Amino acid sequence: MSAGITMSSMSSYAILGCGSVGHAVADDLTDAGEDVVILDRDDNRVEALRDQDLNARQQDITEADVAEVVADREVVLILSGNVDANKAAVEAIRAAGGEQYIVVRANDPVSKDQLVELGADVVINPSEVIADSALRSLEAGELAYKTQQMVEIFRETDGRLAILSHDNPDPDSIAAAVALQAIAADHDLEADILYDGEMGHQENSAFVNTLGIDLSTRESVGGLSEYGAVALVNHADAGAEGDVEDDVDVYVDHDEPAEPVGAEFVDVRLNVSATSTILTKYLQELDLSPTETVATALLYGIRAETVDFKRETTPADLTAAAYLHPFANHDTLEEVESPSMSPETLDVLAEAIQNREVQGSHLLSNAGFITDREALSQAAQQLLNLEGISTTAVFGIADDHILLAARSNDIRLNIGSALDDAFGDVGEAAGHAKQGSAEIPLGLFTGIEISDDNRDTLLQLSEQAVRRKLFDAMGVEEGSNGS
């Protein structure tokens, strides 16, 4: 069937006004075996349509009796180039009590609104349709060009490819790296996935372990100097400005980097919500069917970045997810999304809930003395689900250090940068826009050595210092508690 018209069941149609648009629609519907009648006031045009074996009748669509002529039709397409005639036809059909599904042509935004008010179900503005088609064609052409440009770099690379995610990699960053590794392998280029910082959230560790994804720290491989090319994926959230590497060959992201990237290949797409979506488009463009592991990783990356399509989801994210769905292992996805919670994590979460302090939409909590720093990450993520909370920070004391984990879904805040501003001068901080961590030597805050006699004092002093420095870095004024 031409022109992409697909009907799920047989319907009866009336086409009112048969210029070039109406004629094209009539041909498609008739070729599909649909029951179509064409109404047009021009006798010569009607005769010509009949000569083409089309069911055409002479009828002025501006007259009230047009409603009676189309009364037995389920769908009415009013496609005349005269918008006043189209308005009259819609008005006549609705005034007669007609409940047909009406699709009508407009010629500008004003007439579009007027036709909706008159009772049209769908209003089409040809100029908008042409513009949308042109943009889709442009996007498709750009994707083809970009994909081949990237592949050419892979073909010319002598040595291995280093794929670097951002610090403390999240699912979208890991999934994009896994997909890029698969594309490189398809072009006979071996690649290693590297990261800085820590794996962080238990769900991320479950994701990597369950899918058998091989990641290495950049430190463990001795840096990037031995690689033939370097690719950065989902790296714009890497933290403070200037974090982007100097010597980069490929850069792919769905966010704008803090500073210009001097890579040979740069593909930043702000019209999608996940870098995994961009990599899915590459796979489709290359006609490279994803393996179960790659598809599961990418689908999880999109779902995690859009919070299961509830946050900032674009049509491109949805179509990418739909494409990946049949390739993915959904039992594995369920396993990754519901990792088991250790007894200590449960204890830390309970303590964090009990000790939470809320300033506006920001939550800070003291989890006390801990032995598992991963429990802090779990608690920070769980507390982010509280109503009205956009940023969480949970800290605890382990040995002679204050450990802190933070999460944020506030687009105005880069929590990684905030932690660096707050604690970078007294300890170590790492992260990106949505998550981060910090480790601060306890003595720098309190000047007190840990003993059984001063545990409560240490916690109190630590909480005061962490609260003051973190809230100052985030620009939060203390005093107006939430709950």
Side-chain angles (χ1 to χ4, degrees), residues 25-36:
V25 174
D27 281 340
D28 278 350
L29 290 173
T30 302
D31 289 345
E34 303 289 349
D35 179 11
V36 183

Side-chain angles (χ1 to χ4, degrees), residues 199 201-211 335-337 339:
M199 188 53 60
H201 196 283
Q202 186 170 330
E203 192 172 306
N204 297 343
S205 298
F207 171 45
V208 170
N209 294 334
T210 303
L211 288 177
E335 183 179 347
V336 168
E337 291 172 338

Side-chain angles (χ1 to χ4, degrees), residues 130-148:
I130 293 171
D132 288 343
S133 178
L135 289 173
R136 285 195 298 272
S137 297
L138 176 62
E139 183 177 346
E142 182 185 20
L143 175 63
Y145 173 75
K146 285 284 190 182
T147 304
Q148 290 306 314

